[in-house]
Amino acid sequence: MLTNLHVKDLALIEEADVEFGPGLNILTGETGAGKSILMGAVNLALGQKASRDMIREGASSCLAELVFQVENPGTRRALEELDIDTEDGQLIVSRKITGNRSVSRINGQTCTAAQVRAAAALLLDIHGQHEHQSLLYRDRQLEILDAYGREKLEPCLRETAECYSRYHRIKKELEDSQMDQAARAREISLLEFEIREIREAALIPGEEEELEKNYRKMANSKKIAEALGAAHQLTGNDGGAGDLTGRALRELSCVSGFDETLSGMEKSLADIDSLLGDFNREAAAYLDDFTFSEEEFYQTGQRLDLLNHLKTKYGNSVEKILEYQKSQEEKLEQLQNFEERKAKLEEQLDGAEEALKEVSHKVSALRAQYCRELTEKITEALLDLNFLDVSFEIRLTRLPRYTEKGWDEIEFQISTNPGEPVKPLGRVVSGGELSRIMLAIKTILADRDAVETLIFDEIDTGISGRTAQKVSEKMAQIGRRRQVICITHLAQIAAMADEHFEIVKQVENQETSTRIRRLSREESVEELARILGGAQITEAVLSNAREMKELAEQQKTSRLK
């Protein structure tokens, strides 16, 4: 259940706290007072696209925060699977927008918009002002049917998606392999050339680094020889550092016995003399071995050129080139054994299609069963919503192709006049009738899932009179089993409120702001009178509003229980 909505510096709202209750929560207000801003705050917190323009004039950021109390054990388990902790059953979703940046959090931890949407799908169901238009699309109608039969259909649909994926993959592989004989011969020729070129290079993993090291040494051989020769001479015993160090060591050894400090210095100098001797011998050995032929230098350069040539064609390293060779060898084998491979793929495709066909039959049979059930339930709900002579059908047909959801297509059809045949929704019903059909469907689906909160944003569009009364009764019925939050402009629906909130736009110090406040019973009656009477509220209008409120309370305590 959504227990609290906190909004700060969003559009016209400076700061607002709304504490919702169980049952039917109604929000009313003058046109332009900011009812849409409230829905915007909820959608904003739940990950809807945001912009800098949403921040209140003069503020640097805006905040929308929702607090839920999660009671359903199944919902808690589902949230835990999303790594969302619901300790003490409380869950807080917030979103803050600062400039071009927004941050979403769940229970104080930063999260992605996708994580928020996944959690929101478990917590509430929002019906926006124009969502009922989606009923005109067959794919949305199929979603509704599948949602109704979720318990048995969901595992079958998962299996269908897996079978379709395998079928589609094999079919594409078979189609890709279908080429004419000349094209196949050209492809074989190209593959053989590439494989031969790589094989003849006799590549060795890691050789490129060794070649580059040797080439660099040979290319700079003159510099190396001159520098090392000079270093050898300067550290040698023919007037070099080695000779001088030896003389210094002999001088120091004559006096080192007179002082321990001198003895230590002698030892250090002896180490230096030894290191210089080692270096001198090592330098001499390196210079003795430092010989190579011009042919060797040329061959090393040629080998590097070959590797670079192959790298530009087949991969950016020896390892990648060898991987490419392997993949091309596999392709060559497939093309050379084309008929055998084709037969194997056709056999696999037949098996995959048979499995897909079997599971599609299973899904279709379940859908046919749920079509009958849902037709009866929607018809019953429509009669409750003042469709006096309604005939409703769900027509199930088969597509000429497979999809990841099977091969079924459905269409909602309706007749609202006696004697007229049923026709697709879009050819028969008005906007107000579509709203009521969607309300009927939402009512039915609410009993099928664990979502505890339903939000309706002006679902009463295009209705009035007795129809409005029927809709209000249906909303109150839903409120017995779920928390309902409804923005409305109809007094009949507002009268049924368990909690009534007024949204008011006010101007103070030449600044416009929107505020939201909970109404007492008497204030609720006055708000009903405003809706009924418009600009002028007379005693008669107040009396009418009071009577409407009393009748609604009687209905809720008797007939709607």
Side-chain angles (χ1 to χ4, degrees):
M1 183 176 80
L2 177 60
T3 59
N4 181 269
L5 166 65
H6 176 68
V7 183
K8 186 173 182 180
D9 292 326
L10 177 66
L12 294 178
I13 300 177
E14 183 175 355
E15 189 160 16
D17 263 301
V18 187
E19 292 187 7
F20 296 108
L24 181 57
N25 295 260
I26 295 292
L27 298 102
T28 58
E30 292 276 9
T31 300
K35 297 189 292 295
S36 61
I37 297 174
L38 194 70
M39 283 304 302
V42 173
N43 285 319
L44 177 67
L46 298 179
Q48 192 180 66
K49 188 177 179 182
S51 71
R52 177 77 174 78
D53 298 337
M54 304 179 81
I55 301 174
R56 179 176 167 81
E57 187 68 31
S60 59
S61 63
C62 66
L63 173 72
E65 182 178 81
L66 307 177
V67 181
F68 295 90
Q69 189 65 35
V70 186
E71 304 293 346
N72 188 290
T75 303
R76 286 194 183 190
R77 285 193 298 271
L79 287 168
E80 285 171 5
E81 289 174 5
L82 296 173
D83 292 327
I84 297 173
D85 184 26
T86 54
E87 188 177 349
D88 300 326
Q90 191 177 79
L91 188 146
I92 302 173
V93 179
S94 68
R95 189 174 183 194
K96 185 176 183 179
I97 300 175
T98 307
N100 294 322
R101 182 171 175 266
S102 75
V103 178
S104 294
R105 288 186 171 88
I106 296 179
N107 286 344
Q109 294 188 343
T110 305
C111 59
T112 64
Q115 288 171 311
V116 173
R117 286 192 291 268
L122 300 169
L123 299 168
L124 46 72
D125 183 11
I126 301 177
H127 179 86
Q129 291 185 41
H130 307 293
E131 187 190 342
H132 53 271
Q133 295 293 332
S134 67
L135 275 178
L136 302 177
Y137 301 104
R138 294 188 182 188
D139 55 348
R140 174 60 176 144
Q141 295 171 4
L142 186 64
E143 286 176 14
I144 289 169
L145 178 66
D146 290 347
Y148 176 77
R150 179 183 293 115
E151 186 177 350
K152 289 185 179 179
L153 273 172
E154 197 167 87
C156 288
L157 286 172
R158 279 198 299 270
E159 185 182 353
T160 305
E162 291 169 3
C163 288
Y164 176 79
S165 177
R166 181 170 180 268
Y167 167 78
H168 182 71
R169 176 178 53 78
I170 296 171
K171 186 178 180 183
K172 187 176 185 308
E173 197 173 342
L174 184 59
E175 288 171 352
D176 290 345
S177 69
Q178 302 283 359
M179 60 174 73
D180 61 43
Q181 190 171 352
R184 190 158 52 252
R186 286 194 298 272
E187 182 70 10
I188 289 173
S189 177
L190 175 61
L191 289 170
E192 286 176 337
F193 171 79
E194 290 182 339
I195 293 166
R196 183 170 60 253
E197 186 176 32
I198 298 171
R199 280 178 179 170
E200 288 176 352
L203 301 177
I204 302 170
E207 70 168 312
E208 186 179 10
E209 292 79 4
E210 188 66 26
L211 284 168
E212 287 176 347
K213 185 176 71 174
N214 290 335
Y215 186 82
R216 188 166 56 250
K217 185 171 71 172
M218 286 186 278
N220 294 281
S221 59
K222 185 177 180 181
K223 287 182 181 179
I224 293 171
E226 288 176 352
L228 191 58
H232 177 265
Q233 185 176 355
L234 290 169
T235 58
N237 291 321
D238 295 328
D243 191 13
L244 295 172
T245 304
R247 287 168 57 189
L249 182 60
R250 288 192 296 274
E251 291 292 336
L252 191 58
S253 64
C254 294
V255 295
S256 60
F258 304 132
D259 190 331
E260 289 184 2
T261 303
L262 294 174
S263 179
M265 293 170 67
E266 179 190 16
K267 186 176 183 305
S268 298
L269 192 57
D271 290 341
I272 293 171
D273 186 55
S274 177
L275 286 170
L276 279 171
D278 290 344
F279 169 78
N280 211 252
R281 285 188 293 276
E282 189 176 344
Y286 186 95
L287 287 168
D288 288 342
D289 293 338
F290 190 50
T291 57
F292 59 88
S293 65
E294 285 295 325
E295 179 65 21
E296 186 181 355
F297 180 51
Y298 174 76
Q299 288 176 353
T300 303
Q302 288 293 99
R303 182 65 175 173
L304 280 172
D305 288 343
L306 175 61
L307 289 181
N308 287 326
H309 170 70
L310 295 176
K311 281 164 64 178
T312 60
K313 294 177 69 174
Y314 307 125
N316 57 12
S317 68
V318 170
E319 288 73 18
K320 292 289 184 183
I321 296 170
L322 293 173
E323 286 176 16
Y324 182 82
Q325 176 190 344
K326 184 179 179 182
S327 70
Q328 298 304 84
E329 286 171 344
E330 290 172 356
K331 287 181 184 177
L332 180 61
E333 185 182 357
Q334 290 172 5
L335 288 173
Q336 288 173 336
N337 300 287
F338 170 72
E339 293 301 331
E340 181 184 340
R341 175 167 172 73
K342 180 184 174 185
K344 186 177 179 180
L345 282 173
E346 286 174 344
E347 184 182 348
Q348 289 177 349
L349 185 65
D350 288 342
E353 185 172 8
E354 188 60 36
L356 182 56
K357 181 179 179 181
E358 184 179 337
V359 72
S360 295
H361 267 303
K362 192 189 303 182
V363 168
S364 195
L366 284 170
R367 281 179 174 148
Q369 173 191 330
Y370 287 123
C371 276
R372 292 189 292 271
E373 290 183 22
L374 188 56
T375 296
E376 292 176 7
K377 287 185 178 292
I378 290 178
T379 302
E380 183 182 338
L382 292 179
L383 291 171
D384 287 344
L385 290 168
N386 209 36
F387 281 86
L388 300 180
D389 293 290
V390 65
S391 178
F392 182 86
E393 287 183 12
I394 302 176
R395 188 158 294 175
L396 179 68
T397 55
R398 180 180 294 185
L399 291 165
R401 65 188 185 282
Y402 291 105
T403 74
E404 62 181 0
K405 294 183 178 180
W407 54 30
D408 294 325
E409 182 177 49
I410 69 164
E411 185 174 54
F412 288 175
Q413 300 191 332
I414 194 169
S415 169
T416 56
N417 297 309
E420 287 191 359
V422 293
K423 296 177 182 177
L425 292 184
R427 293 170 56 188
V428 179
V429 298
S430 64
E433 288 172 325
L434 267 181
S435 292
R436 280 185 284 159
I437 295 170
M438 181 61 91
L439 176 59
I441 290 168
K442 293 279 186 180
T443 306
I444 295 163
L445 294 183
D447 292 333
R448 287 266 166 167
D449 57 36
V451 173
E452 298 177 18
T453 301
L454 301 176
I455 299 180
F456 295 101
D457 182 12
E458 297 192 8
I459 198 171
D460 49 28
T461 302
I463 63 173
S464 59
R466 179 162 176 74
T467 298
Q469 182 60 38
K470 288 289 189 180
V471 169
S472 73
E473 292 174 7
K474 179 63 69 176
M475 300 283 275
Q477 283 179 346
I478 301 172
R480 293 288 179 185
R481 305 184 299 278
R482 297 281 190 275
Q483 181 193 42
V484 178
I485 299 171
C486 177
I487 296 175
T488 184
H489 64 274
L490 289 182
Q492 293 95 325
I493 294 176
M496 287 287 185
D498 296 313
E499 300 285 352
H500 192 169
F501 300 87
E502 181 188 21
I503 303 173
V504 182
K505 184 162 69 174
Q506 58 188 13
V507 180
E508 292 181 3
N509 300 323
Q510 295 186 333
E511 286 190 1
T512 305
S513 63
T514 293
R515 63 186 180 89
I516 306 159
R517 67 188 187 97
R518 186 197 302 266
L519 301 179
S520 65
R521 186 185 184 282
E522 188 55 35
E523 288 172 330
S524 178
V525 169
E526 292 172 3
E527 175 66 1
L528 292 178
R530 182 197 64 76
I531 297 171
L532 290 168
Q536 190 172 1
I537 301 174
T538 64
E539 281 299 323
V541 174
L542 270 171
S543 177
N544 188 12
R546 191 168 287 108
E547 183 181 12
M548 181 178 284
K549 186 70 175 177
E550 289 170 356
L551 288 172
E553 289 170 345
Q554 289 173 16
Q555 285 180 314
K556 287 195 294 182
T557 56
S558 56
R559 186 158 60 89
L560 296 181
K561 276 190 174 179

